[in-house]
């Protein structure tokens, strides 16, 4: 039983392409997040959604567009990929806003060539 | 200056040693403090959670927070090779919606 799942696990693409990463949680949580982890393991929040509503947008370039079709899903679409977008992207969820415990997915390793 | 500073290591110790991992933070509004463990090619998982100052113990793990010096620590007793991972400290302001992470310390326990 996977709590937070992401697809794909690996993504290799050329600069300038558009790609999407999907996330699903089966924990019944209200809040979902996207994080970016760079090559130095620094994990930084990008977005959070609560019941399909955008709560946090951490000055991420507008080439990144999250979409939450329902509270169990939070997808990330990236336009015009750049070399600097190469990183591991983690989806996470928590029971509600302002909660300490976040459950992370396995990550999507994006490589832009 | 990052809000949460953590020595990235790497840190390598022999099996059975006591490990001390540390973070400092700059924002005195932080009230929740967490340690996440991340195995290679996996997502972070919550290991320890502490509210405000004090100690919390769970098996071989002890989390310690000193708000006066803005210093948080994780101690691992009787370290095992299975403890080899990256350990990330994280903090949160009460009522805020996001966690702020340190860079993570890569730990290796040698058999």
């Amino acid at each position: 039983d996977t709590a937070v799942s992401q697809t794909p696990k690996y993504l290799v693409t050329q600069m300038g392409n558009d790609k999407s990463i999907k996330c699903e949680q089966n924990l019944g949580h209200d809040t979902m997040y996207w994080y970016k982890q760079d090559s130095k393991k620094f994990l930084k929040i990008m977005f959070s959604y609560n019941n399909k509503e955008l709560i946090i947008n951490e000055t991420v370039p507008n080439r990144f567009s999250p979409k939450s079709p329902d509270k169990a899903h939070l997808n990330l679409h990236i336009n015009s990929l750049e070399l600097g977008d190469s990183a591991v992207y983690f989806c996470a969820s928590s029971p509600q806003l302002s909660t300490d415990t976040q459950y992370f997915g396995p990550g999507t390793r994006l490589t832009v060539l | 200056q990052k809000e949460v500073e953590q020595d990235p290591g790497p840190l390598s110790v022999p099996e059975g040693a006591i490990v001390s991992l540390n973070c400092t933070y700059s924002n005195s509004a932080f009230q929740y403090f967490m340690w996440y463990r991340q195995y290679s090619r996996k997502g972070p998982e919550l290991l320890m959670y502490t509210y405000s100052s004090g100690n919390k113990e769970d098996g071989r793990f002890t989390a310690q927070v000193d708000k006066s010096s803005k210093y948080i620590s994780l101690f691992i007793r009787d370290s095992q090779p299975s403890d080899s991972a990256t350990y990330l400290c994280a903090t949160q302001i009460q009522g805020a919606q996001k966690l702020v992470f340190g860079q993570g310390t890569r730990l290796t326990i040698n058999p």
Side-chain angles (χ1 to χ4, degrees):
Chain A
D1 287 349
T2 305
V4 181
S5 59
Q6 294 178 230
T7 54
K9 195 168 183 180
Y10 298 96
L11 190 51
V12 181
T13 188
Q14 298 287 333
M15 243 181 2
N17 284 351
D18 303 339
K19 290 292 178 187
S20 292
I21 307 171
K22 295 186 176 183
C23 178
E24 176 181 3
Q25 54 95 2
N26 63 6
L27 298 166
H29 290 169
D30 286 344
T31 309
M32 296 184 73
Y33 311 80
W34 277 111
Y35 285 85
K36 179 181 180 180
Q37 188 171 46
D38 62 24
S39 58
K40 295 183 178 179
K41 293 286 194 178
F42 191 52
L43 191 64
K44 188 168 182 188
I45 191 165
M46 301 172 68
F47 302 102
S48 78
Y49 269 73
N50 186 62
N51 273 322
K52 303 193 297 175
E53 181 185 348
L54 179 66
I55 302 298
I56 293 174
N57 181 338
E58 281 287 304
T59 60
V60 177
N62 56 17
R63 297 183 295 105
F64 290 79
S65 52
K67 283 189 172 50
S68 182
D70 55 62
K71 73 173 193 177
H73 295 85
L74 180 62
N75 304 323
L76 183 65
H77 188 76
I78 316 169
N79 289 328
S80 303
L81 278 155
E82 300 177 357
L83 293 176
D85 298 331
S86 296
V88 182
Y89 292 84
F90 287 100
C91 177
S93 72
S94 61
Q96 55 196 358
L97 276 177
S98 307
T99 189
D100 49 273
T101 305
Q102 295 185 16
Y103 298 83
F104 284 79
T108 296
R109 185 171 294 270
L110 171 65
T111 303
V112 182
L113 303 174
Chain B
Q1 182 191 5
K2 292 190 174 69
E3 287 186 279
V4 180
E5 298 276 359
Q6 185 176 6
D7 185 342
L11 180 62
S12 182
V13 301
E15 183 175 355
I18 296 174
V19 176
S20 172
L21 303 169
N22 309 293
C23 291
T24 58
Y25 63 93
S26 56
N27 189 343
S28 57
F30 288 135
Q31 288 194 299
Y32 295 93
F33 305 92
M34 290 131 260
W35 284 94
Y36 280 79
R37 178 175 60 196
Q38 184 177 17
Y39 290 114
S40 182
R41 305 270 171 166
K42 301 286 186 185
E45 55 178 339
L46 182 66
L47 192 61
M48 297 286 284
Y49 156 76
T50 311
Y51 171 69
S52 195
S53 280
N55 291 359
K56 184 171 184 178
E57 191 173 318
D58 184 1
R60 297 183 295 108
F61 299 89
T62 299
Q64 197 171 75
V65 176
D66 182 348
K67 290 195 75 180
S68 62
S69 58
K70 299 189 180 70
Y71 199 80
I72 51 180
S73 302
L74 177 71
F75 299 96
I76 308 174
R77 290 183 300 282
D78 187 26
S79 55
Q80 305 293 312
S82 59
D83 296 329
S84 299
T86 296
Y87 290 80
L88 302 113
C89 61
T91 62
Q92 185 177 20
I93 297 171
Q94 187 170 14
Q97 290 87 36
K98 68 175 187 177
L99 297 178
V100 180
F101 283 87
Q103 188 176 345
T105 299
R106 185 176 165 195
L107 172 67
T108 301
I109 309 296
N110 301 303

